[in-house]
Amino acid sequence: MDWSPIFISMKTASLSILITFFLGILAAWAVVSMKHEKWKAILDGILTLPLVLPPTVAGFFLLYLFGVKRPIGKFFIEYFSIKIAFSWGATVIAAVTMSFPLMYRSARGAFEQVDPNLAAAARTLGMSEWTIFRKVLFANALPGIVSGGVLAFARGLGEFGATAMIAGNIAGKTRTLPMAVYSEVAAGNMDSAYQYVLIIVVIAFISVIFMNYWAARAEKKRR
């Protein structure tokens, strides 16, 4: 069995969750803090869109942006000599794009469940908005945020459609675990496909167990 898809997937999922975690939290905070309901709904729709789009459609838009002859892709090639499409970086972009809505929606839901009176009381004590975010909003929403992070990690690990569109299926370079399963099945190598599937299932199961454990632990602390 070729071990490179495992290493590529773990690197991709690890880097993508670092990016998604912070972007998702900041985006959720920004949307929750907005006062204009119309713009709030529009921004929420844009940020959630990759969650409801078919992954191949999301991948098409990414390829349109980062292709070698497209705006962003052409810019990086001309000024930094970096080709984004069909590179390992493209697998990270695809994973971030598809896992971001899960992180964002989870963080937003967790923020909205925090009692607004806590933030109001903190303001009367003279706390800045950043301090209120860190010590009140984030601290109380942490269980939901962690759950979102776990789900986003698992989603990034299992990303297939968008990755196929923008990164391709290059052995040893962009072939992630889902791509490896597809390749082995297409080639008739079912034994190797079973092994890759087992690895994905085990990692996903461990992620769910961790999420449940964290939620139960957080609930005990509240009592």
Side-chain angles (χ1 to χ4, degrees), residues 39-215:
W39 288 110
K40 186 175 183 178
I42 293 174
L43 182 58
D44 179 77
I46 294 173
L47 296 176
T48 308
L49 194 59
L51 186 64
V52 296
L53 282 177
T56 50
V57 175
F60 174 83
F61 284 117
L62 291 176
L63 187 60
Y64 183 84
L65 292 174
F66 295 100
V68 292
K69 295 183 179 180
R70 297 304 178 179
I72 300 177
K74 188 175 181 181
F75 172 81
F76 273 89
I77 289 177
E78 290 183 354
Y79 293 95
F80 302 102
S81 299
I82 297 175
K83 180 184 176 183
I84 296 178
F86 303 103
S87 67
W88 175 73
T91 67
V92 177
I93 292 174
V96 169
T97 300
M98 301 308 297
S99 62
F100 171 83
L102 284 174
M103 185 67 233
Y104 159 71
R105 299 294 301 186
S106 297
R108 181 184 172 181
F111 287 152
E112 289 177 337
Q113 290 180 1
V114 177
D115 188 349
N117 292 325
L118 294 175
R123 291 187 182 94
T124 62
L125 296 175
M127 289 186 180
S128 66
E129 291 299 318
W130 176 244
T131 303
I132 292 172
F133 169 75
R134 288 188 299 109
K135 295 187 176 182
V136 178
L137 204 60
F138 182 82
N140 285 278
L142 187 58
I145 290 174
V146 172
S147 296
V150 173
L151 291 174
F153 173 81
R155 181 66 183 85
L157 184 70
E159 166 50 34
F160 177 83
T163 302
M165 291 293 290
I166 189 176
N169 187 17
I170 306 172
K173 187 176 181 181
T174 66
R175 181 172 291 174
T176 57
L177 278 169
M179 299 298 298
V181 172
Y182 173 81
S183 298
E184 296 301 331
V185 171
N189 301 324
M190 298 306 294
D191 289 338
S192 295
Y194 291 144
Q195 291 175 329
Y196 288 131
V197 168
L198 179 61
I199 292 171
I200 295 175
V201 171
V202 169
I203 296 174
F205 182 73
I206 291 174
S207 300
V208 173
I209 292 298
F210 174 79
M211 183 176 64
N212 292 335
Y213 168 78
W214 183 272

Side-chain angles (χ1 to χ4, degrees), residues 3-71:
W3 290 86
S4 64
I6 302 173
F7 298 134
I8 293 171
S9 285
M10 292 306 296
K11 285 194 305 178
T12 299
S14 298
L15 180 56
S16 68
I17 189 55
L18 285 177
I19 299 170
T20 303
F21 186 79
F22 292 105
L23 285 181
I25 291 173
L26 291 176
W29 183 32
V31 171
V32 169
S33 301
M34 290 181 70
K35 304 299 181 183
H36 199 294
E37 291 299 325
K38 180 180 179 181
W39 288 110
K40 186 175 183 178
I42 293 174
L43 182 58
D44 179 77
I46 294 173
L47 296 176
T48 308
L49 194 59
L51 186 64
V52 296
L53 282 177
T56 50
V57 175
F60 174 83
F61 284 117
L62 291 176
L63 187 60
Y64 183 84
L65 292 174
F66 295 100
V68 292
K69 295 183 179 180
R70 297 304 178 179

